[in-house]
């Protein structure tokens, strides 16, 4: 199983970016997908996550600004980020809980990370 993230970049404060992540490989079931971020010198933190049923949870610092969505048929998860602030600058990581095949345990997978920089 691989997670491939895309969509990071440089944006001015108040701007928007959309991150996308696709899970590929042997996937029997794809349960929770989400996004985490890690800024320099800080611990990795949850940004948002979404279940296969569409239930969402957001980190306090992004509520009302970020929206997570997913396409279960395509095994993708997107993060729409609006009203970006300099403190949103970080490497963003895609994450997913996936059962690779029937009879196997659920594993947790990470993408390679994509840089988001918010600066004027």
């Amino acid at each position: 199983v691989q997670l491939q993230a895309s969509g990071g970049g440089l944006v001015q404060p108040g701007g928007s970016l959309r991150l996308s992540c696709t899970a590929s490989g042997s996937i029997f079931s794809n349960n929770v997908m989400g996004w985490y971020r890690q800024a320099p010198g800080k611990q990795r933190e949850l940004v948002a996550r979404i279940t296969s049923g569409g239930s969402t949870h957001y980190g306090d610092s992004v509520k009302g600004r970020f929206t997570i969505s997913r396409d279960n048929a395509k095994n993708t998860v997107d993060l729409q980020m609006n009203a970006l602030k300099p403190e949103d600058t970080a490497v963003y990581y895609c994450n997913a809980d996936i059962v690779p095949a029937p009879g196997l345990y659920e594993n947790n997978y990470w993408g390679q990370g994509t840089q988001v920089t918010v600066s004027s």
Side-chain angles (χ1 to χ4, degrees), residues 13-34:
S16 298
L17 277 176
R18 188 175 184 88
L19 304 182
S20 295
C21 175
T22 300
S24 62
S26 178
I27 300 172
F28 175 67
S29 66
N30 186 352
N31 301 321
V32 180
M33 299 188 80

Side-chain angles (χ1 to χ4, degrees), residues 2-78:
Q2 292 185 329
L3 300 181
Q4 181 68 44
S6 62
L10 172 64
V11 64
Q12 291 187 341
S16 298
L17 277 176
R18 188 175 184 88
L19 304 182
S20 295
C21 175
T22 300
S24 62
S26 178
I27 300 172
F28 175 67
S29 66
N30 186 352
N31 301 321
V32 180
M33 299 188 80
W35 290 93
Y36 290 73
R37 69 186 181 186
Q38 187 166 20
K42 295 187 177 182
Q43 289 188 331
R44 190 172 297 188
E45 63 174 358
L46 172 70
V47 177
R49 61 175 183 254
I50 183 169
T51 69
S52 57
S55 296
T56 58
H57 176 79
Y58 294 91
D60 288 341
S61 61
V62 306
K63 286 180 180 177
R65 300 188 297 123
F66 292 9
T67 302
I68 191 169
S69 60
R70 66 185 286 172
D71 185 325
N72 290 332
K74 296 180 179 179
N75 288 311
T76 60
V77 60
D78 292 342

